[in-house]
Amino acid sequence: MSETRYLRVNPSCPESYLIAQGAEVIKKGGLVAFPTETVYGLGADGLNMDAVLKIFQVKGRPRGNPLTLHVASLDQARKLVSSWPPTAELLAKKFLPGPLTLILPRSEGIPDLVTAGLPNIGLRYPSNRIALELIKASGVPLAAPSANISGCPSPTGAQHVLADLEGKIDLILDGGPTEVGMESTIISLAGERPLLLRPGGVTKEEIEEALKEEIAVANSVLHPDKASGEEESRCQGVNNKQYAPRAQVIMVTGSPGEQVTKVKNFLAANRGRKIGVLATSEHFPIYESFSVSPVYLTALGSRTSPEEIASRLFSAFRECDQAGAEMVLVETVAPTGMGLAVMNRLCRAAEQHQI
Ligand code: TXA
Ligand code: MG
């Protein structure tokens, strides 16, 4: 493909003539990157096989990894499934539009390519206004994975999309940085009990509160090497390593105090190597004044605000690569609330590497 057109759109009041240009591309079977409240998506007409195929091609995504469909209303969502259980209704009422993807039994008419042959479909009803207007104007559900090259960190700004996909897609709608900064929570409602496949913008605790029951969490969430069951292994994608920068990610474990000691010792023992450090705000000043400087150092956010850390992590990964880091030490947080999403992405990026 040749040129990628770029349009800046007002996120709080999207200009309809700009949205119309996006919809035009979608209707013709092209690819449009657009912001959602989580990360940027790479959208195509989800009912057009040729368009969907292009998504797999430009991302380098394995065909066995299913796509989710993005809708602009619950009515549109219900048409894409063969059953809409009470749990779906409850969660939809409480959290949609918003950063939650529901996996439900699919209806006929959805191309096999979208679901990778699975009997279920993932539905996402985003709250971002640009996303909503684009879906509405296109008149079809949009298949939209994160708008990155497969395996790279998901894009939280238009510049990340351009870095990965410029020249390969038709259009990018730039609506500024995304709010959540991490992909949506994925919950399967297709089995007997709800199963959390990927933690994200809506927390496990919030879902449990809404459903008034405890939710099982897929093994792979904190142990990516231990996916069990077809659904779980699909969600993990075919590659184990995901969301990762080029630099080797190393998780720093232990109590906050232990983490500081481990980072300092590691820096001291690896003088001359290009080490990046992604720190919590509380520890940032300690590393800033340490005798051995990392090649890249940033504060992700406070230990008491995993939301802040989540919103910074993916762009910090990319910044580490730009700084030429070979390895990047990332401080860890408790896997509760939004911390579960942070730890899931870290586990997947680090594979087994930790100190
Ligand atoms: O926040 C988000 O969900 C972003 C924005 C763009 O909406 N999208 C996103 O899409 O993260 P993607 O394709 O990068 O991640 C969707 C995940 C994949 O890991 C895929 O394997 C899983 O959802 N998935 C899709 N359909 C599924 C299904 N029927 N059963 C189990 N997992 C499924
Ligand atoms: Mg993705």
Side-chain angles (χ1 to χ4, degrees):
M1 191 179 289
S2 49
E3 206 190 331
T4 297
R5 275 195 300 143
Y6 170 95
L7 297 172
R8 191 183 293 266
V9 186
N10 182 341
S12 45
C13 188
E15 297 85 344
S16 50
Y17 73 99
L18 297 178
I19 296 294
Q21 294 186 45
E24 191 71 12
V25 173
I26 297 285
K27 286 178 193 163
K28 286 189 180 147
L31 301 184
V32 179
F34 62 96
T36 78
E37 67 279 22
T38 57
V39 299
Y40 274 72
L42 179 60
D45 176 348
L47 306 178
N48 175 339
M49 294 263 272
D50 294 332
V52 172
L53 191 58
K54 283 189 213 162
I55 291 182
F56 286 95
Q57 287 166 345
V58 308
K59 276 182 63 80
R61 182 176 175 110
R63 295 270 191 95
N65 192 3
L67 302 174
T68 56
L69 288 178
H70 292 54
V71 297
S73 70
L74 288 183
D75 280 345
Q76 195 181 12
R78 288 192 196 95
K79 291 193 183 111
L80 298 168
V81 297
S82 61
S83 89
W84 183 259
T87 44
E89 187 64 22
L90 257 171
L91 293 180
K93 280 224 171 90
K94 179 98 192 182
F95 300 112
L96 300 186
L100 177 68
T101 297
L102 305 179
I103 307 278
L104 288 160
R106 63 188 274 195
S107 67
E108 283 166 31
I110 298 172
D112 271 342
L113 190 61
V114 172
T115 63
L118 287 179
N120 307 320
I121 179 73
L123 294 180
R124 168 117 159 81
Y125 176 11
S127 59
N128 179 285
R129 294 203 51 188
I130 297 175
L132 286 173
E133 294 305 322
L134 179 67
I135 302 163
K136 278 188 216 155
S138 301
V140 286
L142 299 189
S146 49
N148 53 294
I149 297 285
S150 254
C152 292
S154 293
T156 56
Q159 73 279 16
H160 304 151
V161 180
L162 286 173
D164 280 14
L165 301 176
E166 185 159 27
K168 296 183 177 166
I169 62 175
D170 299 285
L171 177 67
I172 170 161
L173 301 177
D174 181 353
T178 62
E179 284 158 57
V180 180
M182 236 164 231
E183 307 85 347
S184 61
T185 302
I186 302 182
I187 186 160
S188 173
L189 303 175
E192 274 182 18
R193 301 278 314 275
L195 178 66
L196 187 86
L197 293 173
R198 179 176 74 184
V202 174
T203 66
K204 171 175 179 276
E205 292 83 350
E206 287 171 320
I207 294 174
E208 288 177 332
E209 159 114 39
L211 294 183
K212 309 249 178 309
E213 64 173 307
E214 246 187 65
I215 301 300
V217 178
N219 280 330
S220 56
V221 164
L222 290 178
H223 305 282
D225 49 319
K226 293 199 187 112
S228 61
E230 181 172 45
E231 210 170 25
E232 204 174 306
S233 54
R234 291 291 179 142
C235 188
Q236 151 167 309
V238 173
N239 301 321
N240 227 352
K241 189 164 175 171
Q242 286 245 328
Y243 313 111
R246 285 192 298 277
Q248 176 59 58
V249 174
I250 300 170
M251 290 196 286
V252 186
T253 61
S255 68
E258 284 163 354
Q259 293 190 31
V260 171
T261 309
K262 285 180 181 178
V263 170
K264 283 176 161 179
N265 289 345
F266 193 92
L267 287 172
N270 290 280
R271 261 172 219 276
R273 303 208 53 183
K274 294 183 171 166
I275 317 281
V277 176
L278 309 188
T280 49
S281 316
E282 288 82 353
H283 296 165
F284 174 81
I286 304 177
Y287 306 134
E288 205 178 22
S289 57
F290 188 56
S291 55
V292 187
S293 302
V295 68
Y296 178 75
L297 170 66
T298 193
L300 292 173
S302 168
R303 292 199 155 269
T304 61
S305 171
E307 292 77 15
E308 210 182 331
I309 295 175
S311 73
R312 271 285 293 143
L313 185 69
F314 288 157
S315 72
F317 275 168
R318 287 177 181 260
E319 289 154 21
C320 265
D321 280 342
Q322 274 162 11
E326 322 160 37
M327 288 182 272
V328 50
L329 306 179
V330 191
E331 291 197 329
T332 53
V333 293
T336 51
M338 197 61 187
L340 185 63
V342 170
M343 290 306 295
N344 166 254
R345 303 317 189 271
L346 281 183
C347 288
R348 288 172 72 168
E351 297 176 294
Q352 309 290 323
H353 296 85
Q354 58 175 63
I355 55 172

